[in-house]
């Protein structure tokens, strides 16, 4: 079940398809961004990060895109697998060191 | 396993009571953060400590307090508990105060106030 009971946006994808999860951030001074994955009953787990001087960064099966002009961040997951089912949060850092989290997106992978 | 340890995993208590949540950061990490995750508020930053000193405060109620000890473990104290304090409380740690230091989260303490 969902680890966060908010009315979360939900993205349903077929196994093997690519997933794109979007996030709009609020602070134009934010200089560091992170994507976290949270499975039910667990704490947020780091996926990938990007600094504001970059617009794209790739990891293993994941890519983060940053568009500072419109303050938009996206996470792309290639060949989505059942184990990718979770809530995904984007987070931003500005000035100090606290992370401000978005409300999350529930990703459901259908077999 | 993130390396961050939180105890207890579950805590059930009554309104008006006081509880203490404990966090051991990853080995070598100096900075500890506390977050609250509730059904209607998402992940909310509460407070941050670095090497024993408070560094940043977020949406932490006056009934809540925290500290970081010389061995770097941290405790979050919640008093005069109300039903609305029921939530998941996460601790996270990182090694320094550098902007691009990612946080590693523990598994959380589920607090239920009845």
């Amino acid at each position: 079940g969902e680890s966060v009971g908010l009315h979360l946006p939900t993205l349903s994808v077929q196994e093997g398809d690519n997933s794109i999860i979007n996030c709009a951030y609020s602070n134009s001074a934010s200089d560091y961004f992170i994507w976290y994955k949270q499975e039910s009953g667990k704490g947020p787990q780091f996926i990938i990060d990007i600094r504001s001087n970059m617009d794209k960064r790739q990891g293993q099966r994941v890519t983060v895109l940053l568009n500072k002009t419109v303050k938009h961040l996206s996470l792309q997951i290639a060949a989505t697998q059942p184990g990718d089912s979770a809530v995904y949060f984007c987070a931003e850092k500005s000035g100090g060191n606290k992370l401000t989290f978005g409300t999350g997106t529930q990703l459901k992978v259908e077999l | 396993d993130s390396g961050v340890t939180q105890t207890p995993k579950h805590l059930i208590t009554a309104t008006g009571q006081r509880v203490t949540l404990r966090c051991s950061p990853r080995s070598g990490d100096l900075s500890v953060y506390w977050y609250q995750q509730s059904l209607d508020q998402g992940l909310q930053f509460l407070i941050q400590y670095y090497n024993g000193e408070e560094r940043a405060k977020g949406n932490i109620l006056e009934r809540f307090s925290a500290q970081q000890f010389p061995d770097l473990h941290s405790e979050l104290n919640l008093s005069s508990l109300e039903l609305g304090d029921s939530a998941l409380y996460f601790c996270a740690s990182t090694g320094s105060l550098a902007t691009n230091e990612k946080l590693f989260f523990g598994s959380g303490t589920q607090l239920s106030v009845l």
Side-chain angles (χ1 to χ4, degrees):
Chain A
E2 292 86 356
S3 59
V4 177
L6 298 170
H7 178 62
L8 294 174
T10 299
L11 175 65
S12 294
V13 299
Q14 293 290 319
E15 182 181 5
D17 287 352
N18 296 332
S19 303
I20 300 176
I21 301 171
N22 296 303
C23 176
Y25 64 93
S26 56
N27 191 341
S28 57
S30 292
D31 52 9
Y32 180 61
F33 304 87
I34 306 181
W35 280 98
Y36 281 91
K37 171 186 179 183
Q38 187 176 20
E39 297 173 276
S40 183
K42 297 184 179 179
Q45 177 187 2
F46 170 82
I47 302 174
I48 192 167
D49 57 359
I50 188 169
R51 299 180 68 173
S52 60
N53 62 353
M54 303 170 69
D55 52 24
K56 180 177 180 179
R57 189 160 189 228
Q58 287 185 290
Q60 187 176 14
R61 279 202 310 121
V62 294
T63 300
V64 56
L65 299 177
L66 174 63
N67 185 330
K68 293 181 290 293
T69 303
V70 295
K71 292 189 286 188
H72 183 267
L73 199 63
S74 69
L75 176 71
Q76 300 178 1
I77 304 174
T80 312
Q81 302 168 1
D84 295 327
S85 293
V87 177
Y88 289 81
F89 294 94
C90 67
E92 59 183 300
K93 257 189 191 181
S94 56
N97 291 285
K98 67 169 183 139
L99 277 179
T100 300
F101 282 81
T103 52
T105 295
Q106 175 80 55
L107 176 65
K108 293 185 176 180
V109 181
E110 297 169 351
L111 303 176
Chain B
D1 181 8
S2 67
V4 178
T5 304
Q6 289 187 248
T7 56
K9 271 193 84 65
H10 303 277
L11 200 46
I12 301 174
T13 189
T15 55
Q17 295 298 304
R18 172 189 167 96
V19 297
T20 298
L21 313 183
R22 184 187 167 100
C23 169
S24 294
R26 289 188 319 155
S27 177
D29 280 359
L30 298 176
S31 194
V32 169
Y33 297 71
W34 286 97
Y35 280 81
Q36 179 192 58
Q37 188 174 44
S38 58
L39 294 180
D40 60 350
Q41 292 286 329
L43 267 163
Q44 298 289 314
F45 169 70
L46 295 178
I47 198 164
Q48 179 208 358
Y49 281 82
Y50 179 79
N51 204 19
E53 294 190 4
E54 182 185 304
R55 292 297 300 231
K57 247 181 176 177
N59 302 320
I60 188 165
L61 300 171
E62 284 192 12
R63 300 184 285 108
F64 296 1
S65 65
Q67 54 185 324
Q68 185 180 27
F69 295 86
D71 67 353
L72 302 177
H73 91 271
S74 178
E75 293 181 356
L76 179 67
N77 300 296
L78 315 177
S79 61
S80 303
L81 285 167
E82 302 176 359
L83 296 177
D85 297 327
S86 296
L88 259 173
Y89 291 85
F90 288 107
C91 167
S93 75
T94 188
S96 74
L97 294 176
T99 301
N100 60 347
E101 283 280 339
K102 51 185 173 283
L103 300 188
F104 291 88
F105 283 80
S107 298
T109 293
Q110 177 71 62
L111 175 66
S112 299
V113 182
L114 306 178

